């Protein structure tokens, strides 16, 4: 058994061709939920869903989110209606007093569905309707995710990091907004003053997560701030990681980030935007997998390979390096 931590794309890319080294049935994934948003009343869990759709064989592997060849009739109609009704486009964060009334699971991540700011496909939306409805019926996010995983035929245990709501909020000079509103809605344009994981003081990892963290852990290439940060903000999670072997794959080659907002977010919270900064963010990590071209000298064991993850063969190569690192430190 080896447990992987996942944000949006990095860990799913690593797992996508690595079944031979990390068979899904023996490789649970713990997904970040700090990115989750309630949009138009539906709870969307982007990081869980990327693994759900990947393992379910329906993921759009161009974008690494949503369902391949999904239609977007509802999304388009929402925009047509908003235009016709002269309603300004999103992201439309609901007022503060609406953030905590009603569903506990939705707090501090509620956005209006008017002129929907994230493109949600029609089949994709069915997942969110089912998820939200089962939560409303009283099930936990862990139970609901298991039900959805069964429906998609997953062999893997897919575990939300917590059943308690945690919202990754980006503070800017103009106030704050949810990570998804900043990243998708505003294309990461507003300058970041700080990042907050609202709710994390009261959130706990689930029993299923703590059990999974008894196994050796791999942090696939991930943004350490908004993908892994919400997990580490829970004391119990951090403690569990310090008790088990942990191998992390860098999302950088030295100071060059592969993609996404990791460098900008790290700089904003005072981390060095580089492999070194990632290593500093993970004091509990016992070894690192770095790119051949990454000369960073860390005081922990380093295993090098070409860490570009563009094909299944790439995933297999990086997975083998991860396995080698695990065997060295376990
Ligand atoms: P995202 O930021 O929503 O995509 O979610 P993640 O937390 O999963 O971040 C993915 C991280 O993986 C980013 O910081 C990228 O720099 C990194 N990344 C993307 N593609 C590759 C790749 O091919 N190889 C490696 N090593 N890292 C990658």
């Amino acid at each position: 058994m080896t447990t992987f931590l996942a944000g949006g794309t990095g860990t799913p890319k690593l797992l996508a061709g690595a079944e031979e080294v990390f068979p899904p049935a023996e490789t649970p994934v713990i997904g970040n939920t700090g990115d989750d948003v309630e949009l138009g009343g539906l709870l969307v869990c982007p990081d869980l869903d990327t693994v759900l759709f990947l393992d379910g064989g329906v993921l759009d592997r161009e974008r690494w989110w949503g369902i391949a060849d999904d239609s977007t009739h509802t999304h388009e109609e929402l925009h047509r209606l908003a235009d016709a009704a002269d309603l300004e486009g999103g992201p439309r964060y609901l007022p503060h007093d609406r953030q905590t009334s009603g569903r506990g699971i939705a707090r501090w991540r509620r956005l209006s569905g008017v002129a929907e700011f994230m493109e949600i496909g029609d089949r994709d939306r069915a997942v969110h309707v089912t998820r939200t409805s089962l939560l409303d019926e009283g099930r936990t996010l862990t139970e609901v995710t298991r039900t959805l995983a069964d429906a998609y035929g997953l062999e893997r245990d897919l575990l939300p990091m917590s059943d308690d709501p945690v919202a990754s909020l980006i503070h800017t000079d103009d106030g704050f907004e949810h990570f998804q509103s900043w990243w998708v809605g505003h294309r990461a344009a507003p300058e970041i003053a700080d990042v907050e994981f609202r709710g994390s003081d009261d959130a706990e990892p689930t029993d299923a997560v703590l059990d999974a963290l008894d196994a050796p852990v791999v942090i696939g290439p991930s943004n350490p701030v908004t993908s892994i940060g919400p997990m580490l903000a829970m004391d119990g999670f951090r403690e569990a990681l310090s008790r088990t072997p942990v191998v992390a794959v860098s999302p950088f080659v030295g100071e060059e980030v592969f993609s996404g907002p990791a460098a900008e977010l790290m700089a904003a919270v005072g981390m060095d935007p580089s492999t070194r900064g990632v290593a500093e963010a993970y004091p509990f990590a016992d070894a690192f997998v770095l790119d051949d071209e990454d000369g960073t000298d860390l005081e922990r064991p380093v295993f090098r390979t070409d860490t570009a993850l563009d094909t299944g063969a790439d995933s297999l190569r990086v997975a083998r390096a991860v396995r080698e690192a695990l065997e060295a430190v376990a």
Side-chain angles (χ1 to χ4, degrees):
M1 205 71 112
T2 309
T3 298
F4 278 63
L5 310 187
T9 54
T11 293
K13 272 187 181 173
L14 171 54
L15 290 171
E19 293 84 355
E20 195 184 309
V21 184
F22 294 109
E26 295 163 29
T27 313
V29 167
I30 299 174
N32 170 43
T33 59
D35 285 4
D36 297 0
V37 278
E38 194 197 88
L39 188 53
L42 301 179
L43 187 67
V44 181
C45 302
D47 295 356
L48 291 173
D49 287 349
T50 293
V51 179
L52 182 69
F53 298 156
L54 172 72
D55 282 351
V58 297
L59 180 69
D60 180 334
R61 288 177 60 165
E62 295 283 305
R63 305 186 298 186
W64 286 85
W65 56 266
I67 293 179
D69 303 322
D70 205 353
S71 56
T72 52
H73 300 299
T74 311
H75 178 77
E76 282 153 31
E77 186 63 8
L78 284 166
H79 278 262
R80 197 198 61 77
L81 258 181
D83 281 347
D86 216 10
L87 294 162
E88 205 180 311
R92 296 164 60 112
Y93 210 80
L94 298 197
H96 283 197
D97 59 356
R98 295 289 167 81
Q99 293 293 335
T100 50
S101 64
R103 290 186 189 120
I105 192 81
R107 54 181 47 193
W108 300 110
R109 43 191 177 173
R110 290 194 139 154
L111 289 115
S112 166
V114 169
E116 189 169 77
F117 79 97
M118 296 169 90
E119 184 187 290
I120 297 183
D122 297 317
R123 291 174 64 198
D124 191 353
R125 192 180 307 275
V127 170
H128 311 318
V129 172
T130 303
R131 170 187 292 126
T132 311
S133 299
L134 291 173
L135 288 167
D136 284 344
E137 288 177 19
R139 301 198 206 184
T140 64
L141 185 61
T142 299
E143 290 165 346
V144 172
T145 305
R146 192 169 293 140
T147 301
L148 290 169
D150 287 345
Y152 273 97
L154 263 64
E155 290 177 41
R156 187 190 308 285
D157 273 345
L158 176 59
L159 307 170
M161 66 179 200
S162 177
D163 283 332
D164 305 314
V166 175
S168 298
L169 304 180
I170 303 295
H171 288 260
T172 65
D173 287 344
D174 295 329
F176 70 80
E177 60 180 321
H178 191 275
F179 173 77
Q180 295 293 355
S181 155
W182 175 80
W183 173 238
V184 182
H186 294 132
R187 309 268 169 217
E191 203 169 320
I192 314 165
D194 200 4
V195 179
E196 176 194 353
F197 306 117
R198 194 163 297 186
S200 60
D201 287 349
D202 300 321
E204 286 177 7
T206 61
D207 290 343
V209 162
L210 292 175
D211 283 347
L213 293 177
D214 277 340
V217 170
V218 177
I219 307 181
S222 300
N223 163 350
V225 183
T226 48
S227 289
I228 305 300
M231 301 184 200
L232 303 184
M234 296 184 288
D235 291 341
F237 202 104
R238 207 175 246 281
E239 283 158 20
L241 288 178
S242 65
R243 288 192 297 265
T244 197
V246 177
V247 169
V249 183
S250 181
F252 287 83
V253 179
E255 293 174 359
E256 281 301 309
V257 75
F258 274 90
S259 61
E264 201 179 344
L265 285 160
M266 289 175 78
V269 299
M271 295 178 187
D272 192 24
S274 64
T275 288
R276 180 170 308 287
V278 172
E280 282 165 4
Y282 303 153
F284 43 76
D286 302 289
F288 290 87
V289 173
L290 305 186
D291 193 86
D292 286 326
E293 305 290 311
D294 187 337
T296 314
D297 187 13
L298 299 174
E299 276 155 17
R300 281 168 276 177
V302 165
F303 295 78
R304 283 192 168 78
T305 186
D306 172 358
T307 61
L309 292 165
D310 298 320
T311 65
D314 290 339
S315 304
L316 194 56
R317 180 187 61 246
V318 176
R320 288 197 174 118
V322 168
R323 172 62 77 201
E324 195 190 339
L326 279 171
E327 281 166 5
V329 298

